[in-house]
Amino acid sequence: MNAVLESLPVVVLYPHSRCNCRCVMCDIWKQTERQEIAVPQLERWLDDFERLRVRWVVLSGGEPLMHTGWWRLCELLRGRGIRTTILSTGLLFERNAARIAECVDDAIVSLDGPPAVHDRIRGVPGAFGQMARGVDAILAARAGFPLAARSTVHRDNFRHLRETARTAHRIGLRGISFLAADLTSEAFNRPGGWSAARQSEIALAEADLPALEAELEALAAEWSGSGFLADTPGKLRRIARHFRAHLGLARAEAPRCNAPWISAVIESDGAVRPCFFHQPFGNAVTDGLLAVLNGPAARAFREGLDIASNPTCRRCVCSLNYG
């Protein structure tokens, strides 16, 4: 693939550095410093977005709805014809329902299980009820608004995957996808990565694996042909292989991925990454977005990256193969 980026269809933007949940599988909530991508800063990047033919921006983070002017960011992006998606905890859906319905193309809410499981994992009493009321409010503001769920699989919820999907369907979401918890990277505010002991708190034990595999197969069978479950049976099986590989019971295999050539992650402080899990190769605030994306460090990274053998890629829980 070309080391120089001439187009960048997908950008993941972290508008805000902090989060309003205390999830067991993520440390973003431990971030105490408040950082935001200022509206004027995004305006300065829009010409670069146009040169790179950006078609889709995903607002992630952190909790994007904690940004003081998130809807203005969305208005700027949609004004350039860019599809805009929000990834959210859902805790601020209700108070922002009208603006979400007006300013966003679609949204994905984190769902960790049926209500009690979800609340326990989120570390926020009543989190599920808040999120469900917010879903109702958005759908009342805009009937048919595309609103789906994403669920991260780990030790605390792997026995509840079918019930998680049923819960998503019951509250009016359009679909759901699942992915394994990341255990080894420095992403999600984990500089230096987790210790082995911390990893074991989230990873499955060997004795858990047959139950996980049975639950994944039953999940795929229950929603087969419905269009509600976004994941194929093969993709779901990758979740079990991920945990097997972590325990040394299988070879870690990288997914098919072209993320470093078709997307970038821009964090709230301007740091630019090729994906969630690899290290930044520059800062778009201080150095300029195009200069970073096609600078020496970024070009060298893409030229030298062999996804099949790269240790970070082989442990990756994502699977972005866009285009």
Side-chain angles (χ1 to χ4, degrees):
M1 297 186 192
N2 196 341
V4 176
L5 295 181
E6 297 180 356
S7 68
L8 191 75
V10 183
V11 170
V12 179
L13 206 62
Y14 290 3
H16 188 88
S17 60
R18 299 183 65 190
C19 189
N20 52 8
C21 283
R22 301 171 65 86
C23 299
V24 299
M25 65 289 189
C26 177
D27 287 350
I28 291 175
W29 59 271
K30 296 179 181 179
Q31 168 69 262
T32 58
E33 184 179 353
R34 179 191 181 103
Q35 292 176 321
E36 289 192 342
I37 293 176
V39 173
Q41 182 61 67
L42 179 61
E43 288 178 316
R44 287 191 285 273
W45 288 337
L46 286 177
D47 286 343
D48 287 344
F49 280 16
E50 192 164 316
R51 292 188 191 97
L52 290 165
R53 301 191 292 281
V54 173
R55 301 198 294 266
W56 183 17
V57 169
V58 179
L59 303 185
S60 183
E63 171 52 56
L65 296 180
M66 291 176 70
H67 188 285
T68 52
W70 66 266
W71 65 93
R72 295 169 62 199
L73 302 180
C74 295
E75 288 170 346
L76 286 171
L77 294 166
R78 295 181 84 203
R80 295 290 184 109
I82 297 172
R83 172 187 169 190
T84 305
T85 299
I86 279 185
L87 302 184
S88 176
T89 66
L91 296 184
L92 298 176
F93 272 2
E94 189 171 17
R95 74 176 68 171
N96 290 286
R99 277 184 166 148
I100 291 170
E102 178 185 359
C103 300
V104 178
D105 291 290
D106 59 294
I108 299 171
V109 66
S110 298
L111 180 63
D112 296 308
V117 175
H118 178 83
D119 289 0
R120 184 172 67 250
I121 291 170
R122 292 273 125 186
V124 177
F128 178 84
Q130 283 183 255
M131 181 267 289
R133 290 192 298 275
V135 170
D136 287 344
I138 293 170
L139 296 178
R142 181 175 154 193
F145 179 83
L147 184 52
R150 178 171 295 164
S151 187
T152 301
V153 179
H154 50 85
R155 174 173 286 188
D156 289 351
N157 66 358
F158 75 95
R159 298 183 189 275
H160 305 282
L161 306 186
R162 283 174 290 172
E163 187 55 36
T164 303
R166 294 168 193 155
T167 300
H169 190 267
R170 186 169 63 247
I171 64 174
L173 300 179
R174 280 194 170 188
I176 189 168
S177 61
F178 292 85
L179 77 164
D182 171 60
L183 302 168
T184 56
S185 82
E186 296 186 5
F188 314 117
N189 192 36
R190 301 185 305 212
W194 276 343
S195 67
R198 181 71 179 94
Q199 292 174 27
S200 69
E201 293 175 4
I202 303 302
L204 276 64
E206 183 175 354
D208 297 326
L209 293 174
L212 170 64
E213 290 163 343
E215 183 71 7
L216 290 168
E217 294 298 325
L219 173 69
E222 182 170 325
W223 296 96
S224 176
S226 68
F228 187 76
L229 180 62
D231 308 306
T232 64
K235 190 172 180 182
L236 290 175
R237 291 177 190 125
R238 281 196 65 237
I239 295 173
R241 286 200 299 273
H242 169 76
F243 289 112
R244 281 196 173 276
H246 181 72
L247 293 168
L249 302 172
R251 182 178 182 273
E253 295 183 6
R256 291 184 61 211
C257 176
N258 61 359
W261 292 272
I262 56 86
S263 69
V265 174
I266 307 175
E267 298 183 347
S268 56
D269 63 354
V272 180
R273 297 176 183 263
C275 70
F276 290 105
F277 305 108
H278 283 283
Q279 293 297 313
F281 38 51
N283 190 291
V285 172
T286 57
D287 302 323
L289 182 58
L290 271 178
V292 170
L293 287 171
N294 280 323
R299 293 199 312 272
F301 173 82
R302 290 189 290 268
E303 286 172 352
L305 180 61
D306 176 54
I307 286 174
S309 62
N310 182 272
T312 297
C313 295
R314 289 178 61 193
R315 293 191 298 265
C316 185
V317 298
C318 286
S319 183
L320 179 59
N321 198 48
Y322 186 90

